[in-house]
Amino acid sequence: MIRVSIVGATGLVGECLLRVLLGHPECKIALLVSEHAAGKPIGELLPSLRGECDLSTVSATPAEVAKASDVVFCAKKGAETFQWVPGLLAGGAKVIDIGGEFRFKDPAVYEAWYKELHGCKELLEKTVWGLPELNKEAVRRAQLVGNPGCYVTSAVLALAPLLAEGLVEDAGLVVDSYSGLSGAGRQYLPKNPNLFVDIDENLRAYGVGNHKHTPEIEMGLALACGRAPKVTFVPHLAPLDRGILTTAFARPKAGLTTEKAQEAFRAYYTAERAPFVRVLDKVDAVAISNVARSNYCDVAVQVVERSGQVVVASALDNLVKGAAGQALQNLNLMCGFAETLGLKGRSL
Amino acid sequence: MIRVSIVGATGLVGECLLRVLLGHPECKIALLVSEHAAGKPIGELLPSLRGECDLSTVSATPAEVAKASDVVFCAKKGAETFQWVPGLLAGGAKVIDIGGEFRFKDPAVYEAWYKELHGCKELLEKTVWGLPELNKEAVRRAQLVGNPGCYVTSAVLALAPLLAEGLVEDAGLVVDSYSGLSGAGRQYLPKNPNLFVDIDENLRAYGVGNHKHTPEIEMGLALACGRAPKVTFVPHLAPLDRGILTTAFARPKAGLTTEKAQEAFRAYYTAERAPFVRVLDKVDAVAISNVARSNYCDVAVQVVERSGQVVVASALDNLVKGAAGQALQNLNLMCGFAETLGLKGRSL
Amino acid sequence: MIRVSIVGATGLVGECLLRVLLGHPECKIALLVSEHAAGKPIGELLPSLRGECDLSTVSATPAEVAKASDVVFCAKKGAETFQWVPGLLAGGAKVIDIGGEFRFKDPAVYEAWYKELHGCKELLEKTVWGLPELNKEAVRRAQLVGNPGCYVTSAVLALAPLLAEGLVEDAGLVVDSYSGLSGAGRQYLPKNPNLFVDIDENLRAYGVGNHKHTPEIEMGLALACGRAPKVTFVPHLAPLDRGILTTAFARPKAGLTTEKAQEAFRAYYTAERAPFVRVLDKVDAVAISNVARSNYCDVAVQVVERSGQVVVASALDNLVKGAAGQALQNLNLMCGFAETLGLKGRSL
Amino acid sequence: MIRVSIVGATGLVGECLLRVLLGHPECKIALLVSEHAAGKPIGELLPSLRGECDLSTVSATPAEVAKASDVVFCAKKGAETFQWVPGLLAGGAKVIDIGGEFRFKDPAVYEAWYKELHGCKELLEKTVWGLPELNKEAVRRAQLVGNPGCYVTSAVLALAPLLAEGLVEDAGLVVDSYSGLSGAGRQYLPKNPNLFVDIDENLRAYGVGNHKHTPEIEMGLALACGRAPKVTFVPHLAPLDRGILTTAFARPKAGLTTEKAQEAFRAYYTAERAPFVRVLDKVDAVAISNVARSNYCDVAVQVVERSGQVVVASALDNLVKGAAGQALQNLNLMCGFAETLGLKGRSL
């Protein structure tokens, strides 16, 4: 049994991290850190967990958390993350950071897209971007993992095989995504309204051309193919709680057929590389309802020859494969457990 | 006052046709034809209309309906449409057909995409495709109008200015659309499940590469630009009742900026050409909630220069601007009324 | 044409008031008052109204608004209402107050349930509670009307005939209601969370035993029957935008049957007394979908003899019959128009 | 490890039964019986289970299923149930029947409310009604358990402590319940429409006064208190997938306060009697979101003294505590496992 702590335990992602840990056979929850609600039973803060977890949240220093933990999930953002991560690492803990702060080696990318100064540039050399399907060996050896963004996971898993195998042009990639509202967390966001009356019976894009996940999608695709394709990324909000459906478009190289593209997907997403990626036969079989509360990402590809486009659909649960489940998958790799341990046979 | 009848009055579109007529100052409802429910008060069949409309449905022949009517909305499909329309026209009525049967001049297109024989080829010469923004003068002179498809309206209004003005390439057009379930009508569709439990908390594509609206979108764009671009069209289902949100992508020609594209949209959608198209400043301001139950289509364009794509959003209500409202707009044109008569200042 | 102004024009109720006025043939909108957003085109503040209304919001004093208006809808709460109403009345305008401040003759009731001091006690003598089905003649003569609460309207219309005709006991009345979220307005309410993620896929009671609408329901029932029955009122939130469904329970007096109860409802809700109350045959025919965006309240009654309860269902749209539509109905009465003018043949 | 089979494996309840079994440490799935889809991999029929379960459905006789199984979940209805259960029992298997056929000792009750002849009257003597909180010892010894209805579980758990302790009158009990649509299964029900467009943005009662769960609620309450109270039960449909929220009303005996009622609930629902019933402090803390995908039933009680009613809220997941989870809880009891085994620390 390893000891695992969560910094930021009471947000939507924190709650999902706690849930995935509760069912993991080799993890013992050490500390649940929540500054603003320290000292309260978790079941009072997260009522669905009454009777499931008897721990109370605590206030603690990074050094204290590191001492009590083998692995720490850090579910904070910006300045708070920069305050936590150095001390956790210095104390010897492995850290899986859920926010965007440790995904890019180059701080300039972070600063340009997140509009914040990076407070831990010296740590970026050692950070590893944790998409297991593309970066498994590096994750296994990492002490610090930047857990990928939810949209990013859906977009990169949709396009990686096509780019890695050189089946499509690098130019003209489009990622058109729709997300449920758990992606926005439990905060009121007046600039991007998330009241029920704003979202119910509505669909709307946001962040067109400047969403923070754009450079990370491009980084993932670069990792997959060794080149540097650009992506047009358009995220939308849809009236559901969980899940991202991505429809991606690419320009096929001459001779590409649906069958060849499907073969490439199946060859790429082997059981070893990608135990949680399910390659389906039809684009219209990819549905959020099939992946919600699981760590799976379903994908399917179709070449529309009459109009010259490759269409890929991918679906995942933003809180699971897009956050907490993927974090546990990374923990499994970092700690030498089976990659799927605690992630199959469950809803999450 | 003109006399207007509806053939197929009790479906979701029929109900919306009835609603738009009830508030039109120059239309008097003549006959509400419903074969399977003839003789029943409309308020019994459509309980929301109790107290709003005292008519009962009737069974009648095309000749009888034509005699009683100046204009007939035909809200049937396939073989039934082919049985109704010839007699209505022969009887001297103007006909606005809501289905797909009279949208194409070339019956081969209909037969290839709808997988049915066309039963009224001789009438196709005189039919007029009724998207007022592109075909207003022809609609004014028409006796038979094929009312456009709902997705088609959203896609063509999104892309027409760009193609008409030669601002984008003809190749590489993508139309990624999400629709509410009223587009599927009140029938159970086991092949494309529409129970609440199938749709709630779910998103899913369907008909990728073979949706019937594809050739009609291309026909509309051809009408706009005089060329014959191909489109990749991917429709999806989203958990809402009404509305279509389309995100369209196109390859910009050199030098195109957001400002130039916006100018082109504003110049194209003048008040005269398009009293129901509202050109907004920002793609993320286009939202179904702003157009639901109205005859408006909101559009906005943005050029994402770093990745070389034009992004256009359009939103409309599939039952109103995508069906019944647009039909009334066509009626206004065919009968010499103001184009907006009975369509503003109301929810529909 | 009369001149009508709205104080508080940009909330959800204000927007609905504006919509009902836009389609009223005898009302001309004078001033749209919004302190915090003065000087902006209404279409910028309420994007669904772009192209429908060219007015801009203004900042104005009560005297200025009164001078410009024959009738004023005041859609404010608490202290703001107390600042507006005296000046509007002094300036000669008729006032329909949408909040709870002018519903009770006795300020002690307001102060006990709303937990605020009443700032205009001297005006309470002249205020008239505006449920037209129970208080029509008084409304006709009123200068100041307190428009009823949304839950109140649904509860009182459900139980009034039974109590008025003495068919049930005064003891044991239960009102179990479920409301859509537009009832909570466009504000974030952290104490009664209304984010999408709080409401989606959820049902929950709130305010049990102390909801402000309780004494107003009892006041309405007292007006109906001349006695003072007490009510147990339990409101809930349901994942929808508009509508209230109330299921009310009462103890039948000996010999009451479903048929007799239905007769009593039909006799009570004559066309003259209640042009917007539709008495249906079956409790399960009462559905929010049939009344949404209309000024109707559907009701049905059933006596369950084996267990000795009368069950009544009522459904209405909280923003229309529960707020803006009823306010227009009151305006019609106060100004001598037909009670239904501008309220039929439309969605709202 | 015991061997467990499911008859009727591909409906919504069958799928949930399969999910609960997949995570149970002492159950091995033997046969998944589905007549109409025999021979197909379960992941093809239930796409969310691809990669989670490699079994295929089979066609088999009751004797074959009994031979292969220690326990069988029978998720069929009416005539099909009567064909399956005798052979399963004769073959020595323990049977947990999910439908309504083996809940009543008296076949007349079944026949009166289900409008079908009972085909296995001779087995009713041995059947045990499986609400563990009220009937644990009998379940432990049973070979045949009738798993309770979903509404029934929510209603009986809400009212049992009050009746058992004699805190309320037997007369005047009201159970007002709202359910998500998974309760209606995956079939289209034209008589009680369950298309997305019927349910979205709607609330509606059904089966008032004649719902099949009424006598079972009364049976459960009789078991709790030794008397035979009657209940007025009004079920409704709400736009959500999972969950039932019940608001129950009862007439307090003299002197009952909220505190006394809460004490009675806490004393009644001990950890031993009811490890899955969580007694909360406030009625408005009972929410479907806290119990969805769990086997918990949350309850809270409040006495509204001014109007003389006891209000109880209960919430559960209709597919889990209302069906599959409760079935597994019964299996645990019948097989001598810990009552909570496989039911905690998981979403279901």
Side-chain angles (χ1 to χ4, degrees), chain D residues 8 26 50 142 155 185 277 309:
Chain D
E26 296 292 340
R50 284 190 201 100
V277 178
Q309 286 280 353

Short mmCIF file of all heavy atoms in Angstrom, two decimals, chain D residues 8 26 50 142 155 185 277 309:
data_model
loop_
_atom_site.label_atom_id
_atom_site.label_comp_id
_atom_site.label_asym_id
_atom_site.label_seq_id
_atom_site.Cartn_x
_atom_site.Cartn_y
_atom_site.Cartn_z
N GLY D 8 -32.23 -12.02 -18.46
CA GLY D 8 -32.68 -10.68 -18.87
C GLY D 8 -31.56 -9.69 -18.67
O GLY D 8 -31.70 -8.71 -17.93
N GLU D 26 -16.82 -11.69 -4.37
CA GLU D 26 -17.14 -13.11 -4.15
C GLU D 26 -18.09 -13.67 -5.20
O GLU D 26 -18.59 -14.78 -5.03
CB GLU D 26 -17.74 -13.29 -2.74
CG GLU D 26 -16.78 -12.96 -1.61
CD GLU D 26 -15.62 -13.95 -1.51
OE1 GLU D 26 -15.74 -15.07 -2.05
OE2 GLU D 26 -14.58 -13.59 -0.92
N ARG D 50 -17.77 -2.69 -23.16
CA ARG D 50 -16.64 -3.18 -23.95
C ARG D 50 -15.37 -3.09 -23.13
O ARG D 50 -15.05 -2.04 -22.57
CB ARG D 50 -16.43 -2.30 -25.19
CG ARG D 50 -17.41 -2.51 -26.29
CD ARG D 50 -16.91 -1.75 -27.53
NE ARG D 50 -18.00 -1.49 -28.45
CZ ARG D 50 -18.65 -0.33 -28.57
NH1 ARG D 50 -18.30 0.71 -27.83
NH2 ARG D 50 -19.62 -0.21 -29.42
N ALA D 142 -33.95 -17.24 2.90
CA ALA D 142 -34.82 -17.44 1.74
C ALA D 142 -34.11 -18.14 0.58
O ALA D 142 -32.91 -17.97 0.39
CB ALA D 142 -35.36 -16.10 1.25
N ALA D 155 -40.45 4.95 -0.45
CA ALA D 155 -41.61 5.31 0.38
C ALA D 155 -41.57 4.62 1.74
O ALA D 155 -41.83 5.24 2.78
CB ALA D 155 -42.90 4.96 -0.35
N GLY D 185 -37.18 1.93 -18.23
CA GLY D 185 -36.47 0.97 -19.08
C GLY D 185 -36.15 1.51 -20.46
O GLY D 185 -36.24 2.72 -20.71
N VAL D 277 -28.89 3.29 4.86
CA VAL D 277 -29.80 4.41 5.08
C VAL D 277 -29.06 5.49 5.87
O VAL D 277 -28.55 5.23 6.96
CB VAL D 277 -31.07 3.97 5.84
CG1 VAL D 277 -31.98 5.17 6.09
CG2 VAL D 277 -31.82 2.90 5.03
N GLN D 309 -48.16 18.87 10.08
CA GLN D 309 -47.76 17.78 9.18
C GLN D 309 -46.34 17.37 9.50
O GLN D 309 -45.51 18.21 9.86
CB GLN D 309 -47.78 18.23 7.70
CG GLN D 309 -49.16 18.40 7.09
CD GLN D 309 -49.81 17.10 6.66
OE1 GLN D 309 -49.19 16.04 6.68
NE2 GLN D 309 -51.08 17.19 6.26
#
